[in-house]
């Protein structure tokens, strides 16, 4: 009988079909919680070495290492009740980006309530078996997660995944470089942002042999919480520890008064085609339209620094 890998166990669980729409969100949220544990452990070790204090975003009892070995009933109670409540309590935390992101994943974490204790234990045990210590380990997990997402037929409301080939073509045209500020106003699962990171790593790989993290400032906005956590997790696994990702509607945000300081060198966007926008509150756009693509074009241009460049995917008709 052929050996069954841990990945095979996860595939078989998904093939049941009951949770197809929630699987990507559930796994992304759990991966991000493990990544937070790894990140905080690393910061604690650095602080101890330097003789300084480090205040973690999460209490020790909430870290992945403290609960990943819980058995079914205890694990289910923790993930469905105690942890979401604790994450919602981080709402008013200031000056700690990690706490902000943890607060934002409290809502997507609620999809776990639709999984049985047995299913939750299976997923957590699978994740606990995955190597996680090196950038290469996390990149391998990202590759598997991407394959898993691409095999999921269901799409969340408003979710659109740019095919990898198109994402890399867009990024090649924009050609981001080390030190650039890169922005996607509807980042979704962060396909364009992760492709930008990969582009810089390939182009300047000799400079990143140790950290495997590109010298880019990554920013984006996404309005769907469940899609948001997928993009956040993919960027974390790709080496971006502190992306500037916001929740909300980027079309409601006015351009910077100082684009030299706050604008972006590169804007990458594949806006939702055919979507109509509510004209209320959008009077600041130079060209009045309710077509979301037309609004995203104007928004992208307004967010550019002098001599910045934007690459935008649009339907043929708008040209």
């Amino acid at each position: 009988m052929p050996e069954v890998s841990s990945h095979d166990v996860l595939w078989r669980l998904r093939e049941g079909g009951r949770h197809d729409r929630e699987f990507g969100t559930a796994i992304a949220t759990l991966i991000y919680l493990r990544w937070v544990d790894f990140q905080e452990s690393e910061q604690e070790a650095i602080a101890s070495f330097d003789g300084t204090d480090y205040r973690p975003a999460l209490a020790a009892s909430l870290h992945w290492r403290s609960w990943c070995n819980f058995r079914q009933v205890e694990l289910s109670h923790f993930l469905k009740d105690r942890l979401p409540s604790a994450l919602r309590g981080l709402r008013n935390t200031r000056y700690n980006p990690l706490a902000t992101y943890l607060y934002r994943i409290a809502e997507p974490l609620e999809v776990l309530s639709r999984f049985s204790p047995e299913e939750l234990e299976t997923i957590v045990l699978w994740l606990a078996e995955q190597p996680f210590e090196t950038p290469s380990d996390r990149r391998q997990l990202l590759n598997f997660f991407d394959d898993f997402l691409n095999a999921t037929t269901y799409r969340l409301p408003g979710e659109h995944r740019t095919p990898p080939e198109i994402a890399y073509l867009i990024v090649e045209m924009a050609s981001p470089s080390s030190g650039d500020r890169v922005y996607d106003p509807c980042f979704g699962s962060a396909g364009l942002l992760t492709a930008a990171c990969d582009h810089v790593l390939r182009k300047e790989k000799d400079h990143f042999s140790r950290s495997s993290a590109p010298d880019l400032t990554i920013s984006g906005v996404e309005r769907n919480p469940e899609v948001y956590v997928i993009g956040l997790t993919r960027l974390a696994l790709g080496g971006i520890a502190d992306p500037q990702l916001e929740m909300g509607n980027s079309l409601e945000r006015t351009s910077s008064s100082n684009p030299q300081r706050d604008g972006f060198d590169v804007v990458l966007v594949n806006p939702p085609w055919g979507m109509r926008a509510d004209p209320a509150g959008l009077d600041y756009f130079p060209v009045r339209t309710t077509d979301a693509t037309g609004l995203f074009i104007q928004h992208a241009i307004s967010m550019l620094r002098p001599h910045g460049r934007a690459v935008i995917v649009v339907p043929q008709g708008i040209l």
Side-chain angles (χ1 to χ4, degrees):
M1 180 179 295
E3 183 179 353
V4 177
S5 71
S6 63
H7 288 341
D8 291 334
V9 171
L10 197 65
W11 281 110
R12 291 178 183 179
L13 184 61
R14 190 196 69 83
E15 286 169 359
R18 289 193 304 113
H19 304 297
D20 198 43
R21 64 173 292 178
E22 294 103 356
F23 240 110
T25 303
I27 294 174
T29 307
L30 291 169
I31 291 175
Y32 189 72
L33 288 168
R34 185 174 181 188
W35 179 86
V36 168
D37 185 19
F38 173 82
Q39 188 77 358
E40 299 231 272
S41 296
E42 196 171 63
Q43 293 302 315
E44 288 169 355
I46 292 172
S48 176
F49 181 82
D50 293 338
T52 59
D53 292 328
Y54 175 73
R55 180 177 295 179
L58 282 179
S61 61
L62 301 176
H63 280 138
W64 162 271
R65 73 197 96 157
S66 298
W67 52 264
C68 65
N69 292 317
F70 286 174
R71 294 280 68 89
Q72 292 178 7
V73 175
E74 186 179 12
L75 178 66
S76 180
H77 172 72
F78 179 84
L79 291 176
K80 295 178 181 181
D81 298 312
R82 184 181 172 196
L83 185 58
S85 176
L87 297 185
R88 286 191 290 269
L90 297 173
R91 178 174 186 174
N92 295 321
T93 304
R94 296 183 178 180
Y95 314 118
N96 189 332
L98 200 55
T100 300
Y101 292 135
L102 286 165
Y103 164 71
R104 289 176 182 157
I105 72 170
E107 182 178 344
L109 188 65
E110 293 176 3
V111 303
L112 299 182
S113 66
R114 297 190 276 277
F115 289 75
S116 70
E118 294 80 7
E119 290 168 330
L120 289 176
E121 183 183 49
T122 298
I123 297 171
V124 170
L125 288 176
W126 162 79
L127 182 54
E129 291 179 5
Q130 307 312 309
F132 210 84
E133 297 303 310
T134 69
S136 177
D137 291 337
R138 296 188 290 278
R139 173 63 65 168
Q140 289 285 343
L141 184 57
L142 173 59
N143 292 339
F144 172 78
F145 183 47
D146 284 349
D147 290 341
F148 199 83
L149 286 176
N150 291 333
T152 301
T153 56
Y154 182 86
R155 293 291 185 269
L156 293 162
E159 179 185 9
H160 175 70
R161 298 177 196 154
T162 304
E165 300 81 5
I166 302 299
Y168 283 109
L169 173 61
I170 292 169
V171 169
E172 287 289 334
M173 295 172 66
S175 191
S177 299
S178 180
D180 277 352
R181 290 169 51 84
V182 181
Y183 171 62
D184 183 343
C186 49
F187 68 83
S189 57
L192 294 176
L193 295 177
T194 52
C197 297
D198 291 344
H199 174 87
V200 174
L201 285 172
R202 290 195 307 271
K203 187 164 67 172
E204 304 179 23
K205 59 183 178 180
D206 294 339
H207 298 284
F208 309 114
S209 57
R210 294 186 65 185
S211 68
S212 294
D215 179 24
L216 290 175
T217 299
I218 296 294
S219 300
V221 183
E222 173 56 46
R223 64 190 304 173
N224 185 312
E226 295 184 17
V227 180
Y228 178 98
V229 72
I230 292 174
L232 174 65
T233 299
R234 294 187 69 253
L235 285 168
L237 292 176
I240 304 299
D242 187 21
Q244 299 173 9
L245 303 181
E246 297 295 330
M247 276 285 300
N249 183 354
S250 57
L251 295 180
E252 296 175 354
R253 300 174 181 226
T254 57
S255 59
S256 168
S257 59
N258 187 346
Q260 186 68 51
R261 184 188 67 191
D262 299 321
F264 298 94
D265 301 288
V266 177
V267 177
L268 308 169
V269 55
N270 182 6
W273 293 2
M275 189 179 84
R276 312 306 294 184
D278 185 346
L282 301 179
D283 296 341
Y284 56 87
F285 283 99
V287 179
R288 301 292 182 87
T289 178
T290 59
D291 176 62
T293 303
L295 295 173
F296 273 110
I297 291 173
Q298 296 179 75
H299 176 74
I301 293 172
S302 73
M303 299 302 290
L304 286 173
R305 282 177 167 176
H307 309 295
R309 60 259 186 219
V311 181
I312 308 167
V313 182
V314 300
Q316 185 176 3
I318 202 169
L319 301 179

